[in-house]
Amino acid sequence: MRSIAGQVFAVQVVLVVVLIVVATMALVFQARNDSETEAINRSTAVAHTFASSPGTAAAMRSSSPSKVLQPRAELARKRAGLDFVVVTNTRGIRYTHPLPQYIGKEVVANWRPAVKGKVVTETVNGPLGKEVQATLPIRNAHGRVIGLVCAGMTAKDVTGRVKHQLPLVFGTAAGALALATGGTALVGGRLRRQTRGLGPAQMMRMYEHHDAVLHSVREGVLIVDDQGRLVLANDEARRLLDLSPDAEGRHVSELGLDPRTEELLTSGRLATDEVHLAGDRLLAVNQRPTGWDGGQPGSVTTVRDTTELRDLSGKAEVAEKRLRLLYDSGSKIGSTLDIVRTAEELVEFAVPWFADYATVDLVEPVMRGNEPAGSAMRRTATTGVRPDHPLWRIGKLITYVSAAPQAFGFGAGRPVLEPDLRSFGGWSEQDPEQAARIVNFGIHSMITVPLRARDVTLGIATFWRSEKPEPFDEEDVALTEELVARAAVAIDNARRYTREHAMAVTLQRSMLPQGLPEQDALEVAHRYLPAQAGVGGDWFDVIPLPGARVALVVGDVVGHGLHAAATMGRLRTAVHNFSALDLPPDELLGHLDELVTRFDQDQAAEDHDAPAITGATCLYAIYDPVTGLCTLARAGHPGPAVAHPDGTVTFPEVPLAPPLGLGGEPVETAELRLPEATRLVLYTDGLIEDRGRDVDAGLDMLQATLAGHPERNPERTCRAVFETMASPHPSDDIALLVARTRLLAPDAVADWDIPSEPAAVARIRTEADRRLAGWGLEEVGFTTELILSELVTNAIRYGSDPIRVRLLRGRSLIVEVSDSSSTSPHLRRAATTDEGGRGLFLVAQFAQRWGTRYTPNGKIIWAELPLTGVASPSPGTDEDLLDQWDDVPS
């Protein structure tokens, strides 16, 4: 839609153009009329002059008038600038003419009136075309008409005169048009700025909307000019300020306003939410100037009635305060998963903002993470504005009587309000003396709210007031109920976490070694630190093996919680079982990898939600104190550190296999020859890797901690490593195992090569008796000879060369018989008619332990005997013992 300014501009331009066109046409017509008048006047003057000139009358009377008058007429025509001067007789016959052929012919003119003495002016179509001419008489001396003179111009010459004037006329018109259009454009531009480019309909709607809004809003509007006169006041302003109907146009001082309001309106200063009185009303006044953007100077003022809002604002402030209280409680209550700390956060949050004192009592089993049972509660948290309050202290075991509000609220699951404790209602029956002390202390109001979460009541929270004079009301009950409900969920979460954490800790502790076994090969110390997130799957173990050897194991199951702890227990049990088979490290880890894969497959088949075990790692090492040889293998686990007796520390290369459960690649072993007093350090990745430390930095720190202290025993080494490297709040579990090597003394080992002949049995018994006597072990000589005889006899009968016997003296006596056959003997009870099968039975009866382990070159059958005391066979084995001697050659 075209704007008002555009329409005004268009109308003004059209009017100017019309006026200029009309004026130009008028000028043209006027010029033409003036030219014709001038031509007639000039023609009349020339004709009159020619008619009255001397000789004209005489020439008329001459015998040849044309001959005399023609030259004179042409001369006069040319001098006067006319087109023709014609002289005729009284009958209208020409004597002269610019075109001689027309001489003698009747003139084209109204000549008859001229004969009678009149002057005739007219426009005719003559020989020269359209002609403007004047005809008048020629008189003689007596005044008698003797002829006529007709002088004039053609219409073409008259029009030519007008055309010479047209450029000036049109130029003047164009200048006037340009000037008028420019002025109109200036006026239109100013109008466009003032109307913001709006069209008439828009201006009308804006006015209607402005008028509707101005008189319908619930806020008064006044406009005052720079002279202090009221220009406009809407209906609400008239109502609020009680203005008269004729207030507009009057000075503000004449309106009868409050002096402060009058001063503000006349000053024109800025005002924001100033409070003014108007009768019994309280008004909020805002004022701004109107001339800041080129407008008319003055001010616009708005007034709003806030009388009705005062009570609402007070209530809104209270509601806002309570909402803010509940909002803040979400971040300040339940910040930890500790039951007691959560209860403390509840009371600390409520005091002093909402209450002067607050207490929390929890059902006794809840404190241990169990489901609530019974009604006995323990005071868990107490706080107040004064420390000398008479309320029961933390730790007191309380059983509320049925009349107590706490008992009613606990049983019904609803809050109970006691607005006036001074009335000594049922609340005082719990302990009348205590109730009197509470009232005398100044506590006058109480709310008790059950701590309920998931339809279970965990305890009671009680809020008390003493310093605040107003008692608790129903709105306070609603607030405390919401506040306590949030705290109850946090306490229940902490209770559940406490229970699960206790279960996980118990499970993990039960699955970790409760103590290290006695053995002669290594001096061992260990440390375990759970992650901040809770128990995890890190574990270690020390497993004695046959032949005085010891297996060291360190493993890690990714994750935390019950699942990780249970998985760790399963893997540790599996390692113990595989170790009982005396498998080498690579075979043991291979079997463990297959076992983990089977676990994951079974779990996937049963569609369990528990995560897979994939991610478990393990390092397995076997140390032989006889040779000082340590054989290691690892599956996804960090390699060991070796602190040598000279104080240097190295990280030997141990081939790395994938973590357990991934499979696909063979496990390789590494062999280390460790001198005596070498410290072998095994650990999980939580020791060397943390939030602010990568693996390389952790290894460098571990190396620096271990280096240069060869005198440290394993216990001191563990302490130094943990003090240097363990974070107070680790992100992952840490397991550390430090073992210092020992070597069996050369005189504690005896070995012999045995020929494959029966007579060698007697000789080996004799050699064994001699060595036992040298060790002072005559007491176990008979048992040793018996076991040795049976094992050597079996090797000669069923084995193959070479056959070798070895005795090891440590915490126990170990008898080993090896041969190159891989056939393993089996224990069975021989029947009465059997000729053999009793030897291994006797070995099992008299030895503490016995077994078979395989070597790359065959097998070793071993038996372990105590150093003191004689093993007694079970009843009923005497005859088996005697029968067994029949198999032994003399």
Side-chain angles (χ1 to χ4, degrees):
M1 182 179 294
R2 185 181 300 275
S3 65
I4 291 178
Q7 294 184 18
V8 170
F9 176 79
V11 170
Q12 289 182 337
V13 168
V14 170
L15 290 177
V16 169
V17 170
V18 170
L19 289 176
I20 291 176
V21 169
V22 171
T24 303
M25 293 177 64
L27 286 174
V28 171
F29 291 140
Q30 181 65 35
R32 178 171 294 178
N33 184 56
D34 290 345
S35 297
E36 291 182 356
T37 303
E38 181 184 358
I40 292 173
N41 291 337
R42 182 182 298 181
S43 299
T44 303
V46 171
H48 182 74
T49 302
F50 190 85
S52 60
S53 64
T56 301
M60 290 294 294
R61 291 191 302 270
S62 66
S63 59
S64 180
S66 295
K67 185 176 181 181
V68 177
L69 293 175
Q70 176 70 13
R72 295 179 61 186
E74 286 299 306
L75 180 62
R77 176 183 68 81
K78 292 177 180 178
R79 289 181 177 179
L82 298 179
D83 290 327
F84 60 90
V85 174
V86 177
V87 180
T88 68
N89 57 21
T90 56
R91 295 187 298 275
I93 301 301
R94 298 187 186 96
Y95 289 154
T96 65
H97 196 279
L99 299 177
Q101 63 270 27
Y102 289 101
I103 297 175
K105 295 181 180 180
E106 185 178 358
V107 67
V108 179
N110 187 11
W111 52 270
R112 289 177 179 81
V115 173
K116 296 178 179 180
K118 295 182 180 180
V119 178
V120 179
T121 60
E122 58 183 338
T123 299
V124 298
N125 290 320
L128 298 180
K130 191 174 183 179
E131 300 169 349
V132 178
Q133 59 189 16
T135 306
L136 53 85
I138 302 174
R139 298 177 184 273
N140 57 16
H142 301 286
R144 187 171 64 88
V145 176
I146 61 175
L148 302 174
V149 178
C150 181
M153 302 174 62
T154 63
K156 181 178 180 181
D157 287 343
V158 175
T159 303
R161 294 173 181 270
V162 175
K163 288 182 178 179
H164 289 305
Q165 295 178 0
L166 287 180
L168 178 61
V169 173
F170 289 143
T172 303
L177 178 61
L179 182 62
T181 303
T184 303
L186 292 177
V187 173
R190 183 173 181 83
L191 182 61
R192 182 180 296 105
R193 288 193 300 271
Q194 293 180 346
T195 59
R196 310 296 190 198
L198 298 177
Q202 293 174 321
M203 289 288 289
M204 180 60 69
R205 284 199 300 271
M206 185 178 69
Y207 174 78
E208 292 172 351
H209 295 167
H210 167 268
D211 192 62
V213 171
L214 185 66
H215 294 286
S216 64
V217 294
R218 292 294 304 276
E219 189 166 354
V221 179
L222 301 100
I223 298 179
V224 179
D225 63 14
D226 58 337
Q227 302 299 320
R229 290 188 299 271
L230 181 63
V231 177
L232 182 144
N234 69 344
D235 296 341
E236 185 67 8
R238 295 176 183 275
R239 185 183 71 84
L240 295 177
L241 298 176
D242 196 19
L243 300 177
S244 60
D246 59 345
E248 293 181 357
R250 297 170 59 186
H251 197 274
V252 172
S253 59
E254 303 173 4
L255 303 179
L257 302 177
D258 179 78
R260 288 188 64 242
T261 306
E262 179 183 325
E263 183 274 332
L264 175 62
L265 294 178
T266 55
S267 67
R269 60 180 173 84
L270 291 176
T272 302
D273 288 336
E274 288 189 9
V275 179
H276 290 249
L277 288 175
D280 58 349
R281 294 187 179 93
L282 194 64
L283 305 180
V285 182
N286 293 273
Q287 183 166 278
R288 294 293 184 273
T290 59
W292 61 272
D293 192 21
Q296 293 294 327
S299 61
V300 58
T301 307
T302 61
V303 291
R304 185 175 65 255
D305 189 358
T306 61
T307 307
E308 300 175 355
L309 297 178
R310 281 185 294 180
D311 294 338
L312 293 177
S313 62
K315 294 180 180 178
E317 289 179 2
V318 174
E320 181 185 4
K321 180 179 179 181
R322 292 178 175 177
L323 287 175
R324 188 165 61 250
L325 178 74
L326 293 176
Y327 176 78
D328 294 342
S329 68
S331 60
K332 295 183 178 179
I333 300 176
S335 61
T336 66
L337 289 174
D338 182 83
I339 297 175
V340 175
R341 181 55 194 153
T342 303
E344 292 173 348
E345 289 173 344
L346 171 59
V347 297
E348 290 171 359
F349 182 79
V351 176
W353 193 357
F354 173 71
D356 297 318
Y357 300 92
T359 61
V360 172
D361 306 324
L362 295 179
V363 180
E364 183 69 11
V366 173
M367 305 291 295
R368 300 187 295 271
N370 298 326
E371 294 291 334
S375 59
M377 302 184 207
R378 191 170 295 277
R379 178 60 52 87
T380 308
T382 299
T383 191
V385 294
R386 290 173 52 184
D388 57 340
H389 58 80
L391 303 176
W392 286 322
R393 302 297 172 174
I394 295 174
K396 181 177 177 60
L397 188 63
I398 309 168
T399 301
Y400 289 102
V401 299
S402 58
Q406 289 85 349
F408 178 79
F410 181 83
R414 300 198 306 270
V416 178
L417 170 65
E418 290 285 347
D420 187 7
L421 297 179
R422 290 164 293 194
S423 61
F424 289 100
W427 75 275
S428 62
E429 296 184 14
Q430 178 73 31
D431 188 340
E433 295 181 3
Q434 173 77 359
R437 287 194 296 270
I438 290 175
V439 173
N440 294 335
F441 184 75
I443 298 176
H444 59 81
S445 186
M446 173 188 72
I447 296 177
T448 181
V449 184
L451 286 156
R452 288 182 59 82
R454 302 176 180 91
D455 295 330
V456 175
T457 304
L458 307 174
I460 287 290
T462 307
F463 304 91
W464 318 74
R465 276 187 180 174
S466 63
E467 304 293 330
K468 297 178 176 60
E470 63 276 7
F472 288 116
D473 55 22
E474 293 297 333
E475 293 185 357
D476 295 323
V477 172
L479 173 64
T480 54
E481 192 172 13
E482 179 67 23
L483 180 65
V484 171
R486 299 187 179 194
V489 172
I491 291 176
D492 189 58
N493 290 337
R495 178 188 67 83
R496 291 170 178 264
Y497 170 78
T498 300
R499 181 182 62 188
E500 293 180 2
H501 182 71
M503 292 171 59
V505 170
T506 301
L507 176 63
Q508 186 187 42
R509 288 178 179 174
S510 66
M511 292 181 175
L512 287 174
Q514 303 302 309
L516 298 181
E518 295 182 357
Q519 40 81 30
D520 298 316
L522 298 167
E523 179 186 357
V524 181
H526 61 86
R527 289 288 188 278
Y528 175 79
L529 181 64
Q532 185 178 11
V535 297
D538 289 17
W539 55 283
F540 62 89
D541 218 333
V542 179
I543 306 173
L545 298 177
R549 297 168 304 138
V550 176
L552 300 177
V553 190
V554 175
D556 184 4
V557 176
V558 176
H560 299 91
L562 283 174
H563 178 73
T567 302
M568 176 269 290
R570 299 170 73 181
L571 295 182
R572 180 169 178 258
T573 301
V575 170
H576 269 271
N577 293 335
F578 292 143
S579 298
L581 301 177
D582 209 351
L583 299 175
D586 54 343
E587 293 185 21
L588 185 143
L589 290 182
H591 288 298
L592 199 62
D593 178 74
E594 294 177 0
L595 183 63
V596 171
T597 302
R598 193 178 310 120
F599 286 161
D600 289 343
Q601 291 174 350
D602 294 343
Q603 184 170 287
E606 295 179 8
D607 196 22
H608 285 175
D609 294 333
I613 304 176
T614 301
T617 65
C618 185
L619 186 149
Y620 188 83
I622 297 178
Y623 175 70
D624 188 348
V626 177
T627 62
L629 185 66
C630 182
T631 306
L632 308 93
R634 59 178 178 145
H637 201 84
V642 177
H644 298 277
D646 60 358
T648 61
V649 177
T650 60
F651 295 95
E653 289 292 336
V654 180
L656 179 63
L660 300 176
L662 297 182
E665 294 185 16
V667 181
E668 301 180 23
T669 60
E671 292 185 348
L672 307 175
R673 189 73 64 175
L674 303 179
E676 190 170 12
T678 299
R679 287 169 294 168
L680 185 64
V681 181
L682 309 181
Y683 50 87
T684 56
D685 57 358
L687 179 69
I688 59 175
E689 187 176 7
D690 205 350
R691 295 184 182 93
R693 182 175 64 211
D694 59 14
V695 175
D696 293 335
L699 291 175
D700 293 341
M701 185 180 295
L702 178 61
Q703 185 177 30
T705 304
L706 296 175
H709 300 281
E711 76 286 352
R712 286 178 179 167
N713 61 13
E715 181 63 30
R716 292 172 57 194
T717 302
C718 284
R719 186 183 310 116
V721 170
F722 256 57
E723 289 177 353
T724 304
M725 303 186 64
S727 170
H729 304 289
S731 58
D732 195 6
D733 300 353
I734 299 176
L736 176 65
L737 191 63
V738 179
R740 185 162 63 178
T741 61
R742 296 170 179 162
L743 291 177
L744 289 182
D747 61 353
V749 180
D751 55 351
W752 300 272
D753 291 325
I754 305 298
S756 182
E757 57 185 27
V761 177
R763 290 197 301 271
I764 195 61
R765 284 205 306 267
T766 303
E767 291 292 335
D769 281 340
R770 187 179 299 115
R771 180 52 61 94
L772 291 176
W775 287 342
L777 300 178
E778 295 90 345
E779 187 177 358
V780 297
F782 175 77
T783 306
T784 303
E785 289 181 15
L786 175 62
I787 293 175
L788 189 60
S789 297
E790 292 302 327
L791 295 182
V792 172
T793 299
N794 284 340
I796 293 173
R797 277 188 172 184
Y798 308 111
S800 58
D801 292 332
I803 301 173
R804 188 174 181 82
V805 174
R806 187 171 73 166
L807 297 181
L808 302 176
R809 180 181 181 276
R811 294 179 182 272
S812 60
L813 180 64
I814 300 173
V815 178
E816 295 182 345
V817 178
S818 63
D819 65 80
S820 60
S821 172
S822 60
T823 303
S824 175
H826 297 283
L827 177 66
R828 67 182 180 87
R829 183 179 292 275
T832 305
T833 59
D834 288 344
E835 295 184 358
R838 299 176 179 82
L840 288 181
F841 178 75
L842 291 177
V843 172
Q845 291 295 318
F846 284 97
Q848 283 184 331
R849 296 188 303 156
W850 78 281
T852 302
R853 77 174 187 268
Y854 294 93
T855 66
N857 300 320
K859 68 177 181 296
I860 297 176
I861 303 177
W862 58 271
E864 187 175 325
L865 292 81
L867 296 181
T868 59
V870 180
S872 299
S874 301
T877 61
D878 296 342
E879 293 183 0
D880 293 330
L881 180 59
L882 294 175
D883 292 342
Q884 196 66 26
W885 289 109
D886 295 338
D887 297 334
V888 179
S890 58

